[in-house]
Amino acid sequence: MTPDTVPTPIRTAYRPGDITAICDAAIATATKALDRIAHLPPESRTFESTLLAFESAMADYGDAVLPVTLMGYVYPDKDVAAEGSAAEEKAGKFSVGIYTRRDLYDAIKTAVPRTKEEERLLSETLRQFKKNGLALPDDGLARVRKHKEEITGLEVRFTANLNNDTSAIDFSKEELDGVPEDVLATFSRTSDGRYHVTTKYPDYIPVMQNAKNGETRKQLYTAFVNRQAAANTELLEKAILVRQACAHELGYASWADYRLDGRMAKTTAAVLAFLGDLKSPVKEKEEADLAVLLALKKELVPGADRIDPWDLAYLTEQLRIRRFALDNEAIRKYFPFDTVLSGMLGIFGPLFGVRFSVVPDAPVWAPGVCLVRITDSADNRTLAYIYLDMFPRDGKYGHMMMVPLIAGRRTKDGYSVPVTAIVGNFRAPSGATPSLLTHDDVEGLFHEFGHALHGCLTRVPYASLAGSSVEWDFVETPSQALENWAWEPAVLDAVSGHYARPEEKLPRDLCDRIIAARDLGAGLLYTRMLVISSEDMAFHTAEGPVDVTATGNRFYRELMGIEPLAGGHEPSTIGHFMGGYDAGYYSYLWAEVYALNVFARFKAGGLFNPATGAEYRHTILEQGNMQPGDELLRAFLKKEPSMEPFYERLHIRAPR
């Protein structure tokens, strides 16, 4: 590539029919390659002709289909986006078919590894086949295949429903009293002058935090926790039953047992014990938070005697304003997206021995999307690319996520160039005003960037073990570790600059107040994580039909100590349950323990110490799944990880 050539790491423009054709061609190519492996006579089977050929075929297939399935989440044309969703479902079912092929399994299991790398690849590949039923007789294997294909279809439809949801409420200006003018200016208007408020985060959060009218907040909260309620509740409850049947067919007591096989936690009992140990100290902190919020509500609403779910964000925000004189709209002015991005890249580049540069005029799938190139500081090699799609659009995925698109792997031409995408929903630019972030947004960007670096800086020889293809309860460790930098004064200085006066950094007094407010509502936040983790485990350890709404309400009532909204269906809105985190939401808490240990190691040696950064890059980020996560952690920490940093971070007592 010449210096003037604009890189195109993936295709970004599609017409109706293109994605279907690409997906079908990838399936056909992969099928031919896999058939060749399966049909090899025993005397012709070698490690190269079986396992390495399988790994190569699957990597080629993934590189072809992952970019087009992303389009189901982000492409502006709804017909093309629908093709992307259909391709995701088709690709998922095809993958199920691959890992339930006995002829492939029989060929691959004969491979004889010669190195530790090859031993790891063989054991992890065979584990995946066995978890798809290859230890079963043919009739059982067929049932597992049917169950898994059905699960894939249910999950894709659940996610597509949320992506395409258009729930919104029109409010008068009086009903939005307290919502800042800067926020009101971002809402579209109806013909009679009312404000059209959607349930997308850039609309939802500032209204819930600032609207004085409790009825306004209740109406918007009701819409939010009822997005796709009827359809998605049915899909989730159906998926839980099919997952149960699949787990039983595979010889597991529950879907949770099945999912935890091969993870760091290992057993359902270990996860339940972990969550159980946290409940008492976290609830103690949450009850103290609630008492403060109730006192404030009584002051604002004479005669009030309870906290309702739609009060939490509002009261917490008003308390932030009172105690710390913090105003999100004032804070935003110091965090223009482009400034934050530039500052973040400027911090982590030297730390990890790389350079980041935004590629000008790169082809992208929608206006506002940008492409970042990563090069190695030592020799200027292009290491990876990251797409950033950070602003909301109709039909776009409504939360934040990192998506791997092209995997890192060793090829005959050298090491491949990994490609990832970060998808977000920050407030969009409006007129002459750029996208302005809250500090929560800054922290969220650091989180997803941690995921992206995990995928981009990998040096694993095999795509199936590269990047973030690690144990599910380790996958959040790099992302949650990076969040902690967003609470350091030097970092906030580096990523800030008033949007109208770029040289004006976040004032030190305001910075200090943001950091001082970090623990405000921490009990509520971590209790919320316990609620979702607990209901997730309840869903996936149950026997028989599950009323997901009643189960969710039970844990909300028990752990939050607040009566849930009558008529709400919040589980239908939590994409994690149908997006890979089934029996896995606990991993956010589990991995945070490791992340805080990682951050403590950096803190001890200097947050910007390139020697520590190089060690972290080599020991954690480059290694992917070539070793279990606990071994990688011990190598970096030079000791066993401890719960103490977690207890210290929350200022809670260790359970006895």
Side-chain angles (χ1 to χ4, degrees), residues 121-256:
L121 177 63
L122 179 61
S123 65
E124 292 301 298
T125 303
L126 293 182
R127 180 197 298 276
Q128 193 160 356
F129 273 100
K130 289 172 184 175
K131 290 194 72 174
N132 279 276
L134 266 300
L136 300 174
D138 288 345
D139 56 345
L141 179 61
R143 287 191 291 272
V144 168
R145 182 184 299 117
K146 180 175 180 295
H147 292 324
K148 290 233 168 183
E149 289 176 347
E150 186 174 4
I151 290 167
T152 296
L154 294 167
E155 290 174 345
V156 169
R157 290 196 291 278
F158 184 103
T159 301
N161 286 344
L162 288 179
N163 290 348
N164 294 317
D165 183 76
T166 57
S167 299
I169 299 178
D170 298 332
F171 292 111
S172 68
K173 186 164 187 178
E174 292 71 27
E175 290 172 316
L176 294 173
D177 182 30
V179 178
E181 289 292 334
D182 287 351
V183 176
L184 295 177
T186 67
F187 299 149
S188 62
R189 305 288 289 273
T190 63
S191 58
D192 61 355
R194 294 170 72 82
Y195 293 87
H196 188 69
V197 182
T198 74
T199 53
K200 301 296 185 184
Y201 286 116
D203 289 8
Y204 176 77
I205 291 173
V207 172
M208 295 302 294
Q209 288 179 331
N210 295 288
K212 296 178 180 178
N213 188 323
E215 186 58 32
T216 295
R217 299 195 307 272
K218 182 178 180 181
Q219 287 182 43
L220 189 58
Y221 178 82
T222 300
F224 187 80
V225 297
N226 279 295
R227 288 170 293 150
Q228 299 296 314
N232 276 7
T233 297
E234 181 179 351
L235 290 169
L236 177 56
E237 291 181 348
K238 176 64 173 174
I240 289 169
L241 287 174
V242 181
R243 289 166 177 167
Q244 286 177 17
C246 187
H248 294 162
E249 194 70 55
L250 288 164
Y252 294 90
S254 69
W255 184 254

Side-chain angles (χ1 to χ4, degrees), residues 90-403:
K90 185 184 294 184
K93 290 180 177 179
F94 179 66
S95 294
V96 170
I98 291 170
Y99 286 99
T100 53
R101 282 186 61 169
R102 195 177 298 281
D103 54 355
L104 273 176
Y105 175 69
D106 287 343
I108 291 169
K109 72 180 182 181
T110 64
V112 179
R114 299 152 297 190
T115 66
K116 287 187 175 181
E117 286 182 346
E118 292 179 351
E119 286 177 5
R120 182 69 173 174
L121 177 63
L122 179 61
S123 65
E124 292 301 298
T125 303
L126 293 182
R127 180 197 298 276
Q128 193 160 356
F129 273 100
K130 289 172 184 175
K131 290 194 72 174
N132 279 276
L134 266 300
L136 300 174
D138 288 345
D139 56 345
L141 179 61
R143 287 191 291 272
V144 168
R145 182 184 299 117
K146 180 175 180 295
H147 292 324
K148 290 233 168 183
E149 289 176 347
E150 186 174 4
I151 290 167
T152 296
L154 294 167
E155 290 174 345
V156 169
R157 290 196 291 278
F158 184 103
T159 301
N161 286 344
L162 288 179
N163 290 348
N164 294 317
D165 183 76
T166 57
S167 299
I169 299 178
D170 298 332
F171 292 111
S172 68
K173 186 164 187 178
E174 292 71 27
E175 290 172 316
L176 294 173
D177 182 30
V179 178
E181 289 292 334
D182 287 351
V183 176
L184 295 177
T186 67
F187 299 149
S188 62
R189 305 288 289 273
T190 63
S191 58
D192 61 355
R194 294 170 72 82
Y195 293 87
H196 188 69
V197 182
T198 74
T199 53
K200 301 296 185 184
Y201 286 116
D203 289 8
Y204 176 77
I205 291 173
V207 172
M208 295 302 294
Q209 288 179 331
N210 295 288
K212 296 178 180 178
N213 188 323
E215 186 58 32
T216 295
R217 299 195 307 272
K218 182 178 180 181
Q219 287 182 43
L220 189 58
Y221 178 82
T222 300
F224 187 80
V225 297
N226 279 295
R227 288 170 293 150
Q228 299 296 314
N232 276 7
T233 297
E234 181 179 351
L235 290 169
L236 177 56
E237 291 181 348
K238 176 64 173 174
I240 289 169
L241 287 174
V242 181
R243 289 166 177 167
Q244 286 177 17
C246 187
H248 294 162
E249 194 70 55
L250 288 164
Y252 294 90
S254 69
W255 184 254
D257 290 312
Y258 165 73
R259 292 290 270 167
L260 287 161
D261 183 7
R263 291 185 182 171
M264 296 176 80
K266 295 184 173 58
T267 67
T268 297
V271 172
L272 295 177
F274 171 71
L275 297 176
D277 284 345
L278 291 180
K279 282 181 182 178
S280 177
V282 170
K283 187 168 179 59
E284 183 178 316
K285 190 172 183 66
E286 188 258 0
E287 287 173 345
D289 288 349
L290 278 185
V292 173
L293 295 187
L294 182 56
L296 176 58
K297 184 175 180 180
K298 287 179 176 179
E299 179 184 334
L300 298 174
V301 185
D305 60 358
R306 69 177 190 187
I307 298 288
D308 290 308
W310 51 91
D311 295 327
L312 293 172
Y314 175 72
L315 293 173
T316 301
E317 182 65 11
Q318 301 318 301
L319 195 61
R320 268 179 22 113
I321 293 170
R322 287 191 175 202
R323 282 190 177 177
F324 302 100
L326 292 175
D327 173 0
N328 266 335
E329 294 310 307
I331 291 170
R332 283 183 188 273
K333 291 177 170 57
Y334 289 96
F335 292 125
F337 172 72
D338 287 347
T339 301
V340 174
L341 177 63
S342 177
M344 181 180 72
L345 301 182
I347 289 166
F348 292 118
L351 183 59
F352 297 128
V354 298
R355 296 189 184 96
F356 301 98
S357 58
V358 176
V359 179
D361 302 319
V364 293
W365 52 83
V369 179
C370 70
L371 177 65
V372 174
R373 178 196 277 119
I374 307 176
T375 56
D376 193 278
S377 297
D379 56 16
N380 210 36
R381 284 177 300 122
T382 295
L383 296 176
Y385 290 97
I386 307 173
Y387 286 95
L388 299 171
D389 184 350
M390 305 311 298
F391 310 122
R393 294 185 298 276
D394 287 344
K396 180 186 166 185
Y397 178 75
H399 195 50
M400 286 193 76
M401 65 176 179
M402 186 284 295
V403 185

